[in-house]
Every structure is written in structure tokens, then in C-alpha cells.
Amino acid sequence: MTVLHLARVGDEERLLPMLRACHTELGWQTEDWALREALMPLLEGAPHGAIYIAGPTRAPIGYAAISFGWSLAAGGLSADLDEIWVRPAIRTRGIGGDLLLTLPRALAEAGLKRLRVTAPSTNHPLARLARTGGFRAAADSLTYWRNF
């Protein structure tokens, strides 16, 4: 089982290279100042989200970023998996699956009612991990978003 720990101030220098690598893989043009600006409130304990680091504290192997919200349909606290990333050299070893099994259990103990995972397509690796982890696809829905 992959060890997870909640990221805090002081973890940013271990997290930033992984965030950059994830965003580069996704083709996102994210500036370092913008990553740091988005990251620091979470590390300082903002209630809107959290980042969990996977693996040993000194040599992390990945991370999962969660955004919190409230859902009437879910009956309370809900969350979206904003990002999940595992170092490419150790992918296909079950670490992503561990993250999607361990994280919901820990969050449910803290009162989370639903964790939503959005994948780009049904055959995307994240969709396969989600299905394996017990997540089910929403019937007849699409995700829309708008940046401000």
C-alpha cells in the first residue's frame, strides 16, 4: 500500500517539480509563479482543497490534489480529484490504483460523502483506475467548465 501524507508548508520544493511535470505531460502552459500561487494556500491549510503526497516524504513518487465543495445530492461534503500524478518510471506498478483506494477511505473518515473523478475518455488510464477503484460513471452527463 502506498503511503500518503497531507502536504504542508515546506513541501513545496518537492511538489513543484511534480506539478510542472504533470502540467507539461498534459500540455498545459503553467508559469512557475502561477503554480506557486495556487499551491501555497493549500499548503497553508486553506479549507478549499488539499494535496496528498505519495511515497516517502524525502523522495515522493506522486501526488493527488483534491478540491472540496458541498453537494446537496451527495448529502454533504464532496470533492473533485483535481490532479493525480505518478512518476513515469514507476507507473503500471499499482500506485495510482493505491491512491484511488487509500485517498477516498481517508477522506470518508473525515466526513467526505463523494469523490468525483473526471477522465478525458472512457479508455483513458484514469478512467480504468477509477473503475477498478470502485468509482462508477455518471449516466448521461458531461462536465463543463469555464475559467475566470
Side-chain angles (χ1 to χ4, degrees), residues 10-17 19-20 23 30-44:
D11 289 326
E12 58 270 18
E13 296 311 317
R14 285 182 284 282
L15 277 166
L16 284 167
L19 292 167
R20 279 187 218 104
H23 290 200
T30 311
E31 299 289 336
D32 281 354
W33 66 266
L35 279 175
R36 194 174 289 275
E37 189 174 282
L39 175 64
M40 291 312 295
L42 297 178
L43 300 183
E44 293 167 350

Side-chain angles (χ1 to χ4, degrees), residues 26 118-127:
L26 294 170
T118 302
S121 66
T122 57
N123 63 345
H124 189 274
L126 180 56

Side-chain angles (χ1 to χ4, degrees), residues 2-8 11 14-15 18-19 22-23 39 42-43 48-55 60-68 79-87 95-104 106-107 115-117 126 129 135:
T2 304
V3 176
L4 287 177
H5 72 273
L6 182 62
R8 302 186 189 288
D11 289 326
R14 285 182 284 282
L15 277 166
M18 293 190 293
L19 292 167
C22 176
H23 290 200
L39 175 64
L42 297 178
L43 300 183
H48 309 293
I51 297 185
Y52 291 86
I53 297 176
I61 57 175
Y63 72 92
I66 307 293
S67 300
F68 296 113
D80 287 307
L81 180 66
D82 190 47
E83 295 180 14
I84 186 171
W85 186 83
V86 175
R87 292 190 185 281
I95 294 164
D98 274 357
L99 289 172
L100 285 183
L101 287 173
T102 305
L103 193 56
L107 293 170
L115 177 61
R116 182 173 36 208
V117 175
L126 180 56
L129 280 176
F135 290 78

